[in-house]
């Protein structure tokens, strides 16, 4: 226990370095295969330039940039997207005590997924469980359930569960029956009711279920945990955009989650802060965990005032 | 109808002649033509609006992420419901050996066929990507209730068409042989459709056997189509849908609306073809009226299970949903539908005077209209009560748009058109089944109907 308490602090520092050096080398990432090559160090030649990387067991190590392979930055094909990232089981933790409805997560999500119109993948709700209980903000992405009701009812396997826990939608196969929307107890799915207004840069892009764009008329879409970024070893847009570190993303197999600033043991975090899952009683087993809104970083403010504060910043 | 027992050969032939004259399809009068044109206009408007929907997407409807299933789906449920009557009138009453069913079976069966065809079409209309319908066969997942629905609906459609077609063969051949001044295409149609029928006793034997087999087969399939349709809702977590009572509730409601459909059809046929009065007698209305009461009472029983027991608990979202139905936004529609579609028909039809043709017709129309809105109330309110806040206000309350209504009405008009054209070109009351019902020996029927024997 003692040891564990010190650990996050040290890791935190390491993590920052990692973000600065490793992530700054834009577009570079380790694939599992690439890591094997790095460790065996046989095939690639040295360049002399050193880069810090995070290994799967959470340690930072310095490697030569020549050993690092550029992963395909975009576009895993629809059939490849059906298998998850090997050895991973993604989980997200949302710390409600830190959310002040800044909506940076949502804006980043909308921007990077090129979402137009009213389709919002990440919604932030004002929650109040009962009249006499305190209100709080609750960001709600897709829960990526381990027993996903949406996947169960899809007649054509357009929405599917991967080995790494992510639930995706293939909009090249979706028939637009919207049964998944009916089945989802969390109402996280959106439908493209009309022809999506595609931005310049995305209109010509190759479609991949991992990026979700270009969107297509008459198909369902939803939060995808940014698997294209995870594949590159990066964190989802909402995690990096949040100024308050509300979102933690990580691998359950590793038992580590990080919000970009601090990396912590998932199990310890759950234990210390009484993590829970949304509507867990119905047995869908979400991959998103919440930390209750206690000892809050910010007092709760009503949306109108909050919106004005957002503008001042 | 108890005149039977022993009928002499000459008497029988006379009766059969009479049936033929009365029951052969006739050209429409001015009302029939106006009716047909009206339906065609509504149908074509629906088609036009659907081409718009294909181009612009489902955005032209009132549906949005909040209420994502609208009147297309409730209309689909309505079609599936009313189509169940085919199995009830034809199969159940047939297997129970109920004699008064004879003039009603074909009315019931054509309603079933028309409705199930349009059920299949309207569900494609609701799809965001109708161009990918083939994916259901390429990538179909047996775990999905939609695939079950595709399977049972197509099976039911096939069985219903056969159950309509087989007993119709003598009728078609009869039209082929006896209708004189008809255009060539119509004669050709009869010739092709009659499949060389020549009224041999062997053919009758085969048809009767086929009808018996089909009647046995269609009953479980009929129960399946509406039960599976109810599962499209009951397999979700939403308040109002998350119910184990849904299958029985849907099936009982389906029999009620189907029976109402037959009663209304009986009245209209009798009203516009005076010669049918001898076949669709007051006695038939009386019997169908009693059946309607029985079905309405059964439906009331399942409705009580569906609404009152959850209302006793008023559990969370379910309670919110029920409050909206009982006293909230949907209350006027909810109570009207319960009263006019179930309680009033029971009250009126319990009395003998209430089961006369005209009051029966009024009650039947009430049952049908209320049944349509009942399905609206089953489908739409369940999607209205999630604590979502970031959506525009108009997304929270669903109002069907004009194109949506036009397409829905177009589908209803299309189903009525199928029935109308059928009445125009085929005998809607089966001569040989009537003759059998009235005790004319089969031998005489075959002999009489066979044109070679006549000559």
């Amino acid at each position: 226990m003692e040891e564990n308490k010190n650990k996050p602090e040290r890791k935190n520092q390491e993590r920052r370095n990692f973000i600065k050096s490793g992530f700054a080398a834009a577009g570079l990432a380790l694939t599992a295969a690439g890591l094997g090559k790095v460790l065996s160090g046989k095939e690639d030649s040295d360049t002399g330039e050193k880069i810090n990387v995070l290994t799967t067991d959470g340690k930072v190590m310095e490697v030569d940039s020549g050993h690092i392979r550029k992963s395909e930055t975009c576009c895993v094909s629809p059939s490849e997207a059906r298998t998850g990232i090997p050895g991973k089981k993604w989980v997200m933790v949302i710390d409600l005590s830190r959310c002040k409805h800044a909506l940076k997560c949502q804006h980043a999500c909308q921007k990077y997924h090129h979402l137009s119109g009213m389709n919002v993948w990440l919604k932030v709700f004002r929650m109040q469980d009962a009249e006499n209980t305190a209100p709080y903000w609750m960001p709600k992405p897709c829960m990526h359930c381990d027993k996903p009701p949406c996947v169960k009812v899809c007649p054509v396997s357009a929405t599917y569960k991967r080995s790494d826990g992510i639930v995706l939608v293939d909009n090249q196969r979706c028939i637009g029956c919207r049964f998944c929307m009916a089945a989802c107890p969390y109402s996280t799915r959106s439908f493209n009711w009309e022809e999506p207004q595609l931005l310049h840069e995305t209109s010509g892009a190759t479609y991949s279920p991992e990026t979700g764009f270009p969107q297509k008329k008459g198909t369902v879409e939803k939060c995808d945990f940014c698997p294209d970024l995870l594949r590159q070893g990066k964190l989802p847009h909402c995690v990096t955009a949040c100024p308050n570190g509300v979102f933690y993303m990580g691998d359950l197999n590793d038992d580590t989650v990080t919000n970009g600033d601090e990396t912590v043991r998932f199990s310890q975090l759950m234990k210390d802060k009484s993590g829970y899952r949304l509507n867990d009683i119905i047995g869908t087993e979400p991959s998103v965990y919440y930390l209750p809104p206690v000892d809050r970083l910010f007092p709760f403010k009503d949306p109108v005032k909050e919106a004005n504060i957002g503008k001042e910043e | 109808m108890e005149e039977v027992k022993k009928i002499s050969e000459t008497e029988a032939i006379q009766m059969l002649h009479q049936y033929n004259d009365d029951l052969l399809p006739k050209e429409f009068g001015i009302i029939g033509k106006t009716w047909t044109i009206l339906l065609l206009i509504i149908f074509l408007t629906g088609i036009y609006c659907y081409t718009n929907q294909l181009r612009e997407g489902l955005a032209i409807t009132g549906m949005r992420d909040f209420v994502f299933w609208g009147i297309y789906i409730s209309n689909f449920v309505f079609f599936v419901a009313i189509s169940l009557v085919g199995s009830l009138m034809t199969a159940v009453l047939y297997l129970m050996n109920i004699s008064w069913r004879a003039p009603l079976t074909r009315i019931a069966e054509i309603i079933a066929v028309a409705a199930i065809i349009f059920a299949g079409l309207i569900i494609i209309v609701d799809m965001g990507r109708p161009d990918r319908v083939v994916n259901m066969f390429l990538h179909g997942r047996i775990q999905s209730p939609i695939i079950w629905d595709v399977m049972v609906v197509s099976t039911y459609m096939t069985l219903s068409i056969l159950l309509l077609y087989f007993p119709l063969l003598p009728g078609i051949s009869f039209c082929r042989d006896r209708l004189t001044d008809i255009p060539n295409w119509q004669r050709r149609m009869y010739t092709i459709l009659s499949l060389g029928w020549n009224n041999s006793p062997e053919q009758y034997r085969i048809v009767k056997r086929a009808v018996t087999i089909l009647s046995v087969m269609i009953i479980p399939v009929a129960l399946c189509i509406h039960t599976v349709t109810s599962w499209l809702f009951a397999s979700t977590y939403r308040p109002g849908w998350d119910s184990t009572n849904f299958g029985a509730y849907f099936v009982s409601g389906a029999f009620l609306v189907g029976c109402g459909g037959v009663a209304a059809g009986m009245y209209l046929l009798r009203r516009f073809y005076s010669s049918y009065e001898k076949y669709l007698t007051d006695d038939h209305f009386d019997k169908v009226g009693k059946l309607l009461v029985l079905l309405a009472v059964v439906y009331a029983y399942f409705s009580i299970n569906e609404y009152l027991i959850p209302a006793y608990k008023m559990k969370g979202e379910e309670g919110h949903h029920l409050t909206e139905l009982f006293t909230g936004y949907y209350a006027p529609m909810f109570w009207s539908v319960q009263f006019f579609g179930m309680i009033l028909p029971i009250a009126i039809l319990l009395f003998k005077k209430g089961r006369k043709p005209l009051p029966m017709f009024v009650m039947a129309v009430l049952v049908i209209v209320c049944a349509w809105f009942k399905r609206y109330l089953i489908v739409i309110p369940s999607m209205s009560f999630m604590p979502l806040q970031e959506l525009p206000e108009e997304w929270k309350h669903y109002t069907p748009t004009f194109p949506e209504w036009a397409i829905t009405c177009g589908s209803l008009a299309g189903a009525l058109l199928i029935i109308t054209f059928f009445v125009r070109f085929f005998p809607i009351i089966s001569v040989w089944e009537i003759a059998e019902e009235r005790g004319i020996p089969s031998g005489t029927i075959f002999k009489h109907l066979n044109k070679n024997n006549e000559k």
Side-chain angles (χ1 to χ4, degrees):
Chain A
M1 284 297 281
E2 291 293 306
E3 225 175 296
N4 280 341
K5 269 182 187 167
N6 296 332
K7 236 181 179 176
E9 200 44 51
R10 193 170 55 82
K11 271 208 165 159
N12 197 359
Q13 201 52 45
E14 289 172 358
R15 183 78 197 177
R16 286 207 178 106
N17 290 342
F18 163 58
I19 300 283
K20 275 177 197 151
S21 54
F23 274 21
L28 293 181
L30 282 174
T31 61
L35 185 65
K37 296 260 170 62
V38 169
L39 296 175
S40 63
K42 278 174 188 166
E43 287 179 23
D44 304 303
S45 57
D46 288 4
T47 59
E49 192 191 341
K50 300 288 179 193
I51 282 182
N52 285 343
V53 294
L54 187 71
T55 62
T56 44
D57 54 353
K59 286 176 188 150
V60 173
M61 62 186 268
E62 200 173 70
V63 294
D64 192 275
S65 68
H67 292 179
I68 291 179
R69 299 185 145 202
K70 222 176 182 175
S71 77
E72 294 130 55
T73 48
C74 163
C75 303
V76 176
S77 76
S79 57
E80 287 166 329
R82 283 181 180 260
T83 48
I85 302 165
K88 298 289 185 186
K89 172 71 181 80
W90 301 109
V91 284
M92 181 180 268
V93 180
I94 298 176
D95 187 349
L96 299 178
S97 69
R98 297 174 174 211
C99 180
K100 69 159 197 177
H101 195 252
L103 288 179
K104 302 285 184 216
C105 54
Q106 190 181 76
H107 296 154
C109 179
Q110 296 295 108
K111 186 179 166 194
Y112 290 107
H113 290 107
H114 310 279
L115 295 175
S116 60
M118 283 310 298
N119 291 4
V120 181
W121 286 5
L122 176 59
K123 299 191 181 86
V124 184
F125 295 123
R126 177 191 187 278
M127 300 298 286
Q128 189 165 8
D129 299 336
E131 202 188 336
N132 296 327
T133 60
Y136 59 93
W137 295 111
M138 186 183 80
K140 197 175 75 177
C142 171
M143 298 290 141
H144 295 271
C145 306
D146 285 346
K147 299 205 170 132
C150 52
V151 169
K152 217 188 258 180
V153 301
C154 179
V156 295
S157 199
T159 188
Y160 50 85
K161 177 83 177 166
R162 316 200 305 181
S163 62
D164 59 356
I166 293 179
V167 175
L168 285 187
V169 184
D170 179 353
N171 80 14
Q172 291 183 329
R173 186 182 287 186
C174 176
I175 59 170
C177 67
R178 312 190 288 296
F179 199 4
C180 54
M181 296 174 76
C184 175
Y186 303 100
S187 291
T188 58
R189 290 172 168 250
S190 308
F191 188 72
N192 284 299
W193 297 96
E194 57 196 337
E195 196 68 64
Q197 296 144 4
L198 296 177
L199 306 167
H200 274 321
E201 58 228 75
T202 59
S203 55
T206 318
Y207 172 73
S208 166
E210 291 206 344
T211 56
F213 60 81
Q215 289 93 16
K216 284 186 189 65
K217 181 180 83 178
T219 61
V220 172
E221 60 182 33
K222 64 163 192 76
C223 156
D224 56 9
F225 264 9
C226 299
D228 53 326
L229 296 183
L230 293 174
R231 228 177 246 283
Q232 301 169 51
K234 295 183 189 173
L235 292 166
H237 297 297
C238 52
V239 180
T240 46
C242 179
N244 305 314
V246 170
F247 299 88
Y248 292 76
M249 187 80 195
D251 180 4
L252 193 66
N253 296 337
D254 265 1
D255 197 25
T256 47
V257 287
T258 177
N259 64 0
D261 287 335
E262 53 172 355
T263 304
V264 289
R265 289 265 164 240
F266 170 75
S267 53
Q268 196 60 41
L269 188 65
M270 288 296 113
K271 218 170 169 182
D272 293 345
K273 296 204 169 170
S274 306
Y276 67 95
R277 298 190 287 194
L278 198 58
N279 217 352
D280 212 1
I281 195 168
I282 57 177
T284 49
E285 303 191 2
S287 299
V288 176
Y289 294 75
Y290 284 91
L291 304 180
V294 289
D295 299 331
R296 302 195 205 182
L297 233 50
F298 309 97
F300 185 87
K301 282 180 188 159
D302 72 61
V304 183
K305 277 184 191 166
E306 197 62 38
N308 290 338
I309 289 165
K311 271 171 201 164
E312 279 162 25
E313 284 169 3
Chain B
M1 249 188 285
E2 303 298 319
E3 80 221 57
V4 245
K5 301 299 175 266
K6 277 226 168 109
I7 298 167
S8 70
E9 180 93 8
T10 37
E11 239 180 335
I13 301 260
Q14 231 167 17
M15 286 165 74
L16 282 164
H17 270 295
Q18 187 61 47
Y19 299 162
N20 295 340
D21 294 343
D22 290 345
L23 299 177
L24 274 180
K26 295 174 192 68
E27 255 191 70
F28 281 169
I30 184 79
I31 298 175
K33 280 177 182 155
T34 320
W35 164 254
T36 313
I37 290 169
L38 197 73
L39 287 180
L40 269 173
I41 292 172
I42 300 173
F43 180 64
L44 292 174
T45 313
I47 298 259
Y48 170 75
C49 288
Y50 183 55
T51 58
N52 278 348
Q53 183 183 305
L54 281 179
R55 204 170 39 246
E56 318 212 342
L58 285 165
I60 68 162
T61 70
M63 293 183 276
R64 288 298 177 267
D65 282 358
F66 207 70
V67 180
F68 49 83
W69 279 350
I71 55 174
Y72 293 158
I73 294 285
S74 64
N75 197 34
F76 164 74
V77 178
F78 174 79
F79 274 133
V80 175
I82 201 165
S83 82
L84 245 66
V85 74
S87 76
L88 174 74
M89 287 287 177
T90 334
V92 177
L93 298 188
Y94 172 78
L95 293 175
M96 287 167 74
N97 248 333
I98 288 173
S99 60
W100 53 265
R101 65 175 251 292
L104 312 181
T105 51
R106 203 164 282 165
I107 302 174
E109 208 51 54
I110 187 62
I111 292 177
V113 168
I116 201 71
I117 288 173
F118 272 89
L121 291 176
I122 199 73
I123 204 71
I124 292 175
V125 166
D126 184 70
M127 283 170 60
R129 302 296 302 220
D131 52 319
R132 294 180 183 169
V133 106
V134 72
N135 279 7
M136 293 215 265
F137 304 99
L138 295 179
H139 307 290
R141 282 176 77 250
I142 197 70
Q143 300 94 318
S144 169
I146 285 194
I147 297 293
W148 310 341
D149 219 21
V150 170
M151 291 193 296
V152 289
V153 165
S154 52
T155 309
Y156 186 74
M157 193 188 294
T158 314
L159 290 179
S160 293
I161 289 173
L162 293 180
L163 206 44
L164 174 71
Y165 186 45
F166 285 166
L168 185 63
L169 282 168
I172 301 174
S173 77
F174 200 70
C175 293
R176 174 194 68 193
D177 300 339
R178 302 296 163 92
L179 284 177
T180 41
D181 43 350
I182 51 168
N184 257 337
W185 66 265
Q186 199 175 330
R187 190 178 306 283
R188 245 199 322 274
M189 176 180 78
Y190 290 139
T191 311
I192 294 168
L193 287 179
S194 63
L195 301 177
W197 184 270
N198 58 15
N199 291 300
S200 73
E202 176 64 8
Q203 286 176 329
Y204 275 101
R205 202 184 59 77
I206 296 172
V207 158
K208 280 183 188 168
R209 197 168 160 66
V211 168
T212 308
I213 295 171
L214 286 171
S215 299
V216 174
M217 281 169 72
I218 204 166
I219 292 170
V221 179
L223 291 179
C224 281
I225 54 165
H226 219 38
T227 307
V228 170
T229 301
S230 82
W231 289 347
L232 295 184
F233 305 99
S235 59
T236 71
Y237 297 84
R238 286 175 187 266
W241 292 354
D242 185 2
S243 157
T244 50
N245 181 46
F246 244 36
Y249 175 55
F250 269 45
V251 169
S252 61
F255 280 145
L256 176 63
V257 57
C259 194
V262 170
M266 281 163 64
Y267 179 83
L268 291 173
L269 282 171
R270 205 173 111 119
R271 175 84 183 65
F272 291 110
Y273 290 104
S274 52
S275 60
Y276 284 10
E277 262 177 50
K278 279 172 276 176
Y279 307 94
L280 301 168
T281 61
D282 282 13
D283 194 41
H284 283 105
F285 280 89
D286 188 63
K287 296 259 167 50
V288 174
K290 285 176 181 163
L291 185 58
L292 257 175
V293 172
L294 171 70
L295 294 169
V297 170
V298 173
Y299 189 48
Y301 169 74
F302 284 111
S303 296
I304 287 169
N305 276 283
E306 183 57 34
Y307 291 104
L308 290 193
I309 291 309
Y312 188 83
K313 292 179 282 189
M314 280 293 173
K315 188 176 73 182
E317 281 180 354
E318 186 83 41
H320 192 139
H321 169 74
L322 289 171
T323 311
E324 283 293 306
L325 288 182
F326 293 164
T327 54
Y329 183 74
Y330 296 100
M333 196 194 278
F334 181 80
W335 292 113
S336 312
V337 160
Q338 301 295 349
F339 181 74
F340 293 107
M342 198 165 70
I343 297 165
L344 187 65
I346 293 177
I348 300 284
L349 299 178
L350 271 177
F351 297 97
K352 195 159 180 65
K353 275 188 181 164
R355 297 194 295 272
K356 292 271 170 234
L358 185 63
M360 269 284 287
F361 176 67
V362 176
M363 289 305 120
V365 170
L366 275 181
V367 164
I368 298 169
V369 172
C370 289
W372 195 92
F373 283 98
K374 187 63 199 283
R375 270 117 200 112
Y376 181 94
L377 287 172
I378 289 174
V379 174
I380 282 100
S382 279
M383 288 173 283
S384 312
F385 315 114
M386 295 291 251
L388 299 186
Q389 299 154 357
E390 292 194 3
L391 293 171
E393 198 52 40
E394 69 263 25
W395 285 24
K396 295 184 186 174
H397 284 293
Y398 164 74
T399 320
T401 57
F402 172 75
E404 209 174 351
W405 278 117
I407 293 170
T408 304
C409 293
S411 71
L412 292 166
L416 286 172
L417 268 180
I418 293 185
I419 299 170
T420 305
F421 282 125
F422 186 85
V423 172
R424 168 67 189 83
F425 292 112
F426 299 98
I428 186 72
I429 295 176
S430 172
V431 173
W432 68 277
E433 283 173 287
I434 289 277
E436 281 201 336
E437 182 207 334
R438 301 204 173 175
I440 298 174
S442 328
T444 319
I445 303 173
F446 307 149
K447 236 190 281 173
H448 170 73
L449 290 175
N450 195 327
K451 87 178 156 178
N452 299 329
N453 284 346
E454 188 106 319
K455 281 168 188 171

